[in-house]
Amino acid sequence: MQFIDFGSNSTKVSKIILGLMRTSDKSVEDHAFLCKTALDSEINFFDTADCYANGGAEELLGRVFEQNPELRKKVFLQSKCGIRSENGLTWYDFSKDHIINAVNASLSRLKTDYIDSLLLHRPDVLMEGEEIAEAFTKLHQEGKVLNFGFSNCNPGTLSYVSKYVPFKICANQVQFSPCHTPMIDAILQTNMKWDGSTMRDGGILEYCRMNDIAVQAWSTMQYGFFEGVYLNNERFPDLNRVLYRIAGEQNTNATAVALAWILRYPGKTQAVIGTTNPGRVQESARACDVVLSRKEWYEIYQAAGNRLP
């Protein structure tokens, strides 16, 4: 496993993050085994959110911590808030009151006194920087949140919030995989009359790298917007052929190679895995052992259906 320095205390956290969005239907025992498998594989960073299963994912993890109190001390815990839903309507809320109330509710569900990292989820267009700053300051002073970041935000949003928030933004969690590459396309296809040359993100990767913000890739094994997994998918024969070939050459597995492609981007880059299969967790942890050459990285990019000028 490889680690990065994260947050105000430069805490050593794993480049692979265990994402817990799909865990709410597991038993406490199975979830505890999943968590222990991750820790045994040196994955010490766990990610959840208050909207995952309407709080059910956090509640289950809280029961795991309650029954296995030693686990909480070993885990760097990140949660997210800001997405609200009621009677079939979804909206985003970065108001001071909602942020504070959401964190308090998460802490209650998680059976813990603090969250190591809090991300504000999908950007709220109606956000007020002063309110976010007040919420963050209160939560930090009370010891309830140690670090702060965002999810799915462009550089303009991050710059705006940074004007008001008296804390370093530690992370930006964005969708990124060999089959979801608009951030890469815009770099490679600059000034071309191709769809990929359209900058849809405002330069997230460069902004985060220049400002020492960790890029946390989500949906790392998916294509489209939760349309399915690309590994072993007949829709991506060239990509799978290349992933498995490199895996064979390096005596590893195709999942590890796909994650290594993400982690190959310089700077503080992490990959969130959403599997609930302990065996897949172990396979994913091997990503940090994979060494991709530039040639192999570009080969994977193009095998996924992307193009170079």
Side-chain angles (χ1 to χ4, degrees):
M1 181 56 60
Q2 295 177 359
F3 300 85
I4 63 170
D5 294 332
F6 190 98
S8 57
N9 294 322
S10 296
T11 306
K12 298 290 184 184
V13 299
S14 54
K15 284 191 173 184
I16 301 296
I17 298 174
L18 180 65
L20 302 174
M21 184 173 73
R22 297 181 175 88
T23 56
S24 59
D25 61 348
K26 299 183 74 67
S27 68
V28 175
E29 293 74 21
D30 286 346
H31 196 356
F33 184 71
L34 180 72
C35 293
K36 291 176 181 177
T37 299
L39 288 168
D40 287 344
S41 301
E42 298 187 281
I43 299 172
N44 67 350
F45 198 123
F46 290 9
D47 174 85
T48 187
D50 64 351
C51 67
Y52 293 165
N54 295 317
E58 287 188 331
E59 184 176 354
L60 179 59
L61 182 58
R63 292 171 64 191
V64 171
F65 287 153
E66 192 172 40
Q67 295 186 19
N68 304 269
E70 77 283 356
L71 287 181
R72 177 64 187 96
K73 301 173 184 177
K74 300 176 181 178
V75 167
F76 189 93
L77 180 61
Q78 176 172 276
S79 192
K80 301 182 286 292
C81 71
I83 297 179
R84 303 185 67 177
S85 183
E86 185 178 301
N87 298 325
L89 176 67
T90 296
W91 71 101
Y92 306 144
D93 189 346
F94 284 7
S95 65
K96 175 184 176 181
D97 287 345
H98 178 68
I99 294 171
I100 292 173
N101 291 337
V103 168
N104 285 331
S106 288
L107 291 173
S108 177
R109 287 190 292 267
L110 290 164
K111 307 296 183 187
T112 187
D113 297 326
Y114 69 98
I115 296 171
D116 293 286
S117 174
L118 173 71
L119 305 187
L120 297 189
H121 232 145
R122 295 271 173 190
D124 173 15
V125 178
L126 306 180
M127 72 180 79
E128 296 285 355
E130 297 92 339
E131 282 197 56
I132 296 174
E134 289 174 8
F136 281 7
T137 298
K138 178 177 174 62
L139 292 168
H140 191 268
Q141 289 177 343
E142 293 176 347
K144 294 179 178 179
V145 179
L146 305 186
N147 299 284
F148 300 93
F150 289 81
S151 184
N152 308 298
C153 285
N154 64 33
T157 299
L158 296 176
S159 295
Y160 166 71
V161 174
S162 295
K163 176 182 177 181
Y164 298 95
V165 173
F167 305 100
K168 174 181 170 53
I169 294 176
C170 297
N172 188 20
Q173 193 172 112
V174 293
Q175 186 175 1
F176 186 28
S177 82
C179 292
H180 186 86
T181 58
M183 297 185 297
I184 299 294
D185 302 340
I187 298 171
L188 291 173
Q189 300 177 27
T190 297
N191 200 36
M192 303 299 295
K193 290 186 176 181
W194 298 347
D195 181 63
S197 69
T198 301
M199 180 168 281
R200 306 177 188 278
D201 67 297
I204 288 174
L205 293 177
E206 297 95 330
Y207 181 89
C208 289
R209 193 173 176 186
M210 288 188 297
N211 290 278
D212 197 35
I213 298 172
V215 173
Q216 299 179 348
W218 60 266
S219 217
T220 51
M221 303 304 296
Q222 298 265 339
Y223 67 93
F225 190 65
F226 300 111
E227 292 180 36
V229 176
Y230 55 80
L231 195 64
N232 299 321
N233 188 325
E234 62 183 12
R235 292 184 57 176
F236 301 95
D238 293 340
L239 176 59
N240 278 278
R241 174 179 52 78
V242 172
L243 293 176
Y244 274 97
R245 191 203 77 224
I246 296 174
E249 292 169 352
Q250 299 205 24
N251 191 30
T252 187
N253 61 85
T255 296
V257 176
L259 294 173
W261 183 88
I262 296 169
L263 299 178
R264 182 66 173 80
Y265 182 79
K268 290 186 176 180
T269 309
Q270 297 174 282
V272 182
I273 58 172
T275 182
T276 60
N277 183 320
R280 286 288 176 84
V281 170
Q282 293 172 322
E283 290 180 355
S284 300
R286 297 184 63 188
C288 293
D289 298 326
V290 177
V291 180
L292 292 178
S293 67
R294 273 183 169 81
K295 179 181 178 182
E296 290 169 329
W297 189 91
Y298 280 100
E299 184 181 12
I300 292 171
Y301 174 76
Q302 293 175 83
N306 303 301
R307 65 192 297 194
L308 295 182

